Amino acid sequence: MDDDSETYKLWRIRKTVMQLCHDRGYLVTQEELDQALDHFKQQFGDKPSERRPARSDLIVLVAHIDDPTDQMFVFFPEEPKIGIKTIKTYCQRMQEENISRAIIVVQMGMTPSAKQALVDMAPKYILEQFLEAELLINITEHEHVPEHVVMTPEEKAELLGRYKLKDSQLPRIQQGDPVARYFGLKRGQLVKIIRTSETAGRYVSYRLVV
């Protein structure tokens, strides 16, 4: 293991995780959002080969800005491919701390039984899986990805009422779409997509999550 490149990778991933939490409306300090590589090394170490940091040191717990009881864990399992035992360990911790939502950042993937466990535990416990490779960059900052704004249920109702539309008449975005996954969108939510073009200026469209 090359400690320098591994430390850089872990820093990038954790930074994207912090941005993701912030973009979902969880409380993240500006210091955490802007954390430089040197500060990461001071906080966690720069020898991953000696478990400094161990992945378990990187765990994040955040509370939602609008509702401090709505909390979310972000877990970083040590094993490259995680099995059902790890899922059960995380679920036990969530139960003990009365937290129903978590993200698991996996290195290589999950066993079929672990994936099934995620399905079985919903909707009581929502565990989302991201590959480390997906979090090396923040997809929403990519130049070809337009700005996505998640609308509240009230804003959605107002829009449908104003244009006399039903859900079925709206363009769609899949729940498995990378941007939808980044925001943790659920079926039935509405997203406003803002594109800028040199010819049309600012162009707004809407997508229903299905």
Side-chain angles (χ1 to χ4, degrees):
M1 180 192 289
D2 174 352
D3 276 332
D4 281 349
S5 60
E6 188 69 10
T7 303
Y8 177 81
K9 183 176 85 172
L10 293 173
W11 165 67
R12 290 277 335 160
I13 291 164
R14 198 170 188 275
K15 193 165 185 175
T16 302
V17 162
M18 288 303 188
Q19 292 166 340
L20 178 151
C21 291
H22 173 265
D23 289 343
R24 290 188 182 195
Y26 290 93
L27 205 54
V28 178
T29 65
Q30 197 60 45
E31 196 178 340
E32 288 171 313
L33 290 171
D34 296 338
Q35 187 177 52
L37 180 57
D38 284 346
H39 289 159
F40 178 87
K41 289 176 178 177
Q42 285 166 19
Q43 185 178 351
F44 296 107
D46 58 1
K47 289 272 187 293
S49 59
E50 298 170 15
R51 291 178 58 79
R52 288 185 297 121
R55 274 176 165 73
S56 54
D57 296 336
L58 305 177
I59 286 179
V60 175
L61 176 59
V62 284
H64 204 278
I65 291 168
D66 298 331
D67 177 8
T69 64
D70 172 5
Q71 295 181 306
M72 180 172 74
F73 268 124
V74 184
F75 295 117
F76 295 82
E78 299 287 350
E79 60 270 53
K81 191 166 188 176
I82 70 170
I84 197 159
K85 189 178 164 196
T86 305
I87 301 291
K88 284 181 174 170
T89 304
Y90 289 153
C91 240
Q92 195 175 345
R93 180 158 181 195
M94 291 166 75
Q95 266 177 317
E96 286 165 3
E97 304 201 29
N98 202 22
I99 292 167
S100 60
R101 190 173 199 111
I103 288 172
I104 304 173
V105 180
V106 298
Q107 296 173 56
M108 290 171 67
M110 285 186 177
T111 64
S113 59
K115 283 183 184 169
Q116 188 56 45
L118 300 193
V119 175
D120 294 344
M121 285 185 300
K124 191 177 182 190
Y125 295 103
I126 307 294
L127 284 93
E128 303 168 61
Q129 176 203 175
F130 282 87
L131 288 167
E132 286 188 350
E134 295 178 292
L135 296 170
L136 280 168
I137 59 158
N138 183 337
I139 189 170
T140 64
E141 292 182 349
H142 194 282
E143 61 178 326
H144 295 306
V145 175
E147 183 185 353
H148 287 61
V149 179
V150 184
M151 301 184 75
T152 65
E154 294 78 20
E155 289 168 336
K156 177 187 171 184
E158 188 199 333
L159 183 88
L160 293 177
R162 191 189 322 152
Y163 295 109
K164 296 184 173 53
L165 292 170
K166 297 191 183 80
D167 275 11
S168 58
Q169 295 170 286
L170 292 165
R172 292 157 185 225
I173 182 173
Q174 297 292 326
Q175 198 177 15
D177 177 274
V179 177
R181 288 180 65 231
Y182 176 91
F183 284 107
L185 299 180
K186 298 190 279 287
R187 284 188 180 87
Q189 284 188 284
L190 192 64
V191 187
K192 176 160 68 171
I193 299 172
I194 303 161
R195 290 182 171 84
T196 50
S197 77
E198 288 174 14
T199 49
R202 198 162 170 272
Y203 169 69
V204 175
S205 60
Y206 298 91
R207 294 273 186 282
L208 181 76
V209 183
V210 295

